[in-house]
Amino acid sequence: MENAKSVKLILEDGTEIEGTSFGAFTSAAGEVVFSTAMTGYPENLTDPSFAGQILVLTYPMVGNYGVPGEELYESISKIFESDKIHIAGLVVNYYSEEHSHWNAAKSLGDWLKEYNIPGIFGVDTRMLTKILREKGAMLGKIVAEENVEFHDPNQDNLVAQVSPTEVKHYGHGQHKIVLVDCGTKTNIIRCFLQRDVELIRVPWDYDFTKLDYDGLFLSNGPGDPKMCTPTIQHLQTALGQDKPIFGICLGSQLMGLAAGGDTFKLKYGHRSHNQPVLLTGTKRSYITSQNHGFAVDTDTLPAEWTMLFENLNDGTCEGIKHKTKPFFSTQFHPEAAGGPEDTEYLFDDFLKAVAEYKASK
């Protein structure tokens, strides 16, 4: 790489790793986490759940297929998971300056520069991942010319930073669904619109209980779910009714908290496209896409709630459901951009519950 500049990745435990800059030549701080996904960096980098985090990609070569150009579908992105990059920084082993793909519009490095996001390559990411697995996700910083202080993004209300500030409407289908946007991935909206619904997208702290709707959806999002006090309070009101509710990722944690349970921070989180989960009470397992650092503590759930899915790697909760009411959630991503799509049927299950609820009234 011509005019290559050296930068450092510094962890809070004192580990210092030298590498080469790509993207923006600037310093940044955040929580260092890793993802074992082999593809899908355009989707991952635009996922609001990564807000405030320095992302380590374990796949050894990154950037070879570039970044696609933007396309719109129903006024939302057809490709990306939001309208910007949300990570604080990117760490890779080998960055491919040259890219080749039929829909590539720019390089990964140029894309990072557009959003002033630093990248560092030439890092032994497998070694770095071992450190994070043994010690857990930790604070870190990419240091270019100017040093910066460590910063823990989990102390911030990240949901308030990534959630929209106004109500938006999509579609004109037969079911009216309220989507509580705590940092939703765009593919969630696409999945609903492909199923002929009217979608009302509201900010994280909006009092949706005053709206007329057939079903409630709780989106994914970044950070500590306990920061979302208004959302939890509104959700507690909704749980006192019978309208179907479906939560994904942070939405699952919010449902657990609103039900009276507790959440906890995972040691290093689940971030990949290959997490195996078991549908409880069966021998049926699925490979899922995940991106979260917190989980529901199922031991704290009231008796009328039970675990719906279990992570087969560490036994943690991957979803909950109410035993008698049409409330359920998944910690993983059924919409799964960029893949796999094994559990997208859960959107159909939710809309089936909505139709049954409406028919009963």
Side-chain angles (χ1 to χ4, degrees):
M1 178 180 286
E2 296 183 6
N3 303 317
K5 296 180 179 180
S6 295
V7 291
K8 284 185 178 180
L9 173 66
I10 303 175
L11 304 181
E12 63 177 322
D13 69 348
T15 301
E16 293 192 13
I17 303 172
E18 291 193 9
T20 303
S21 171
F22 76 106
F25 185 65
T26 186
S27 300
E31 182 183 34
V32 184
V33 301
F34 67 89
S35 171
T36 59
M38 297 173 66
T39 59
Y41 58 77
E43 294 88 350
N44 286 342
L45 270 57
T46 54
D47 180 353
S49 294
F50 274 124
Q53 296 179 327
I54 295 175
L55 177 61
V56 180
L57 298 179
T58 62
Y59 193 71
M61 182 169 68
V62 178
N64 56 304
Y65 57 86
V67 178
E70 179 64 287
E71 296 180 46
L72 294 181
Y73 163 76
E74 297 285 348
S75 78
I76 59 173
S77 175
K78 189 176 181 180
I79 297 172
F80 303 112
E81 293 307 292
S82 68
D83 59 0
K84 68 176 185 178
I85 297 176
H86 285 277
I87 61 169
L90 184 63
V91 182
V92 303
N93 176 249
Y94 177 80
Y95 168 61
S96 176
E97 288 185 81
E98 301 295 328
H99 63 274
S100 178
H101 195 270
W102 68 269
N103 71 344
K106 65 190 75 173
S107 71
L108 173 58
D110 287 342
W111 192 40
L112 291 173
K113 285 180 183 178
E114 287 181 22
Y115 293 94
N116 199 37
I117 306 296
I120 175 173
F121 74 92
V123 174
D124 185 344
T125 53
R126 301 295 176 97
M127 174 273 293
L128 178 56
T129 298
K130 286 184 178 180
I131 293 175
L132 297 175
R133 280 181 61 90
E134 292 170 3
K135 298 184 178 181
M138 64 180 76
L139 303 186
K141 52 188 177 180
I142 295 175
V143 178
E145 293 180 317
E146 296 184 4
N147 195 8
V148 291
E149 298 295 324
F150 290 112
H151 176 69
D152 184 359
N154 292 302
Q155 300 302 312
D156 302 331
N157 190 337
L158 296 173
V159 167
Q161 295 177 18
V162 301
S163 178
T165 57
E166 59 185 19
V167 178
K168 298 181 181 180
H169 294 258
Y170 306 90
H172 302 281
Q174 59 178 327
H175 302 312
K176 187 179 295 185
I177 306 299
V178 167
L179 185 160
V180 183
D181 187 345
C182 297
T184 190
K185 292 176 65 180
T186 306
N187 202 41
I188 290 173
I189 300 175
R190 297 186 208 114
C191 284
F192 274 120
L193 294 181
Q194 290 163 7
R195 288 166 171 80
D196 190 31
V197 303
E198 177 184 350
L199 201 61
I200 307 171
R201 183 182 186 183
V202 303
W204 71 284
D205 56 351
Y206 188 89
D207 187 0
F208 54 81
T209 63
K210 297 179 180 179
L211 297 176
D212 175 30
Y213 64 89
D214 304 316
L216 179 65
F217 178 84
L218 311 168
S219 87
N220 63 293
D224 188 341
K226 293 177 182 177
M227 292 277 188
C228 302
T229 303
T231 319
I232 296 168
Q233 292 173 342
H234 299 324
L235 183 53
Q236 286 172 336
T237 300
L239 291 176
Q241 303 170 354
D242 295 322
K243 293 181 180 180
I245 305 175
F246 179 20
I248 287 178
C249 199
L250 180 77
S252 181
Q253 299 157 24
L254 295 175
M255 190 178 291
L257 290 170
D262 197 7
T263 57
F264 65 97
K265 194 173 191 304
L266 294 165
K267 184 177 180 180
Y268 46 80
H270 301 149
R271 299 174 182 89
S272 66
H273 295 166
N274 54 6
Q275 288 282 334
V277 303
L278 177 71
L279 178 61
T280 55
T282 75
K283 294 184 178 180
R284 182 176 298 173
S285 63
Y286 300 92
I287 300 300
T288 67
S289 178
Q290 302 196 14
N291 177 15
H292 60 99
F294 292 80
V296 174
D297 182 354
T298 52
D299 290 338
T300 64
L301 289 174
E304 63 269 23
W305 290 82
T306 187
M307 183 162 64
L308 179 57
F309 291 94
E310 178 184 359
N311 189 292
L312 288 173
N313 284 332
D314 60 14
T316 54
C317 176
E318 289 287 351
I320 60 175
K321 69 174 182 178
H322 195 278
K323 292 180 180 178
T324 59
K325 293 187 176 184
F327 309 151
F328 73 99
S329 69
T330 66
Q331 189 58 67
F332 54 87
H333 284 271
E335 85 291 348
E341 300 175 348
D342 301 30
T343 56
E344 192 177 316
Y345 74 89
L346 291 167
F347 286 93
D348 299 315
D349 286 356
F350 171 58
L351 294 177
K352 180 181 178 182
V354 170
E356 291 174 349
Y357 167 77
K358 291 172 65 177
S360 68
K361 296 301 176 183

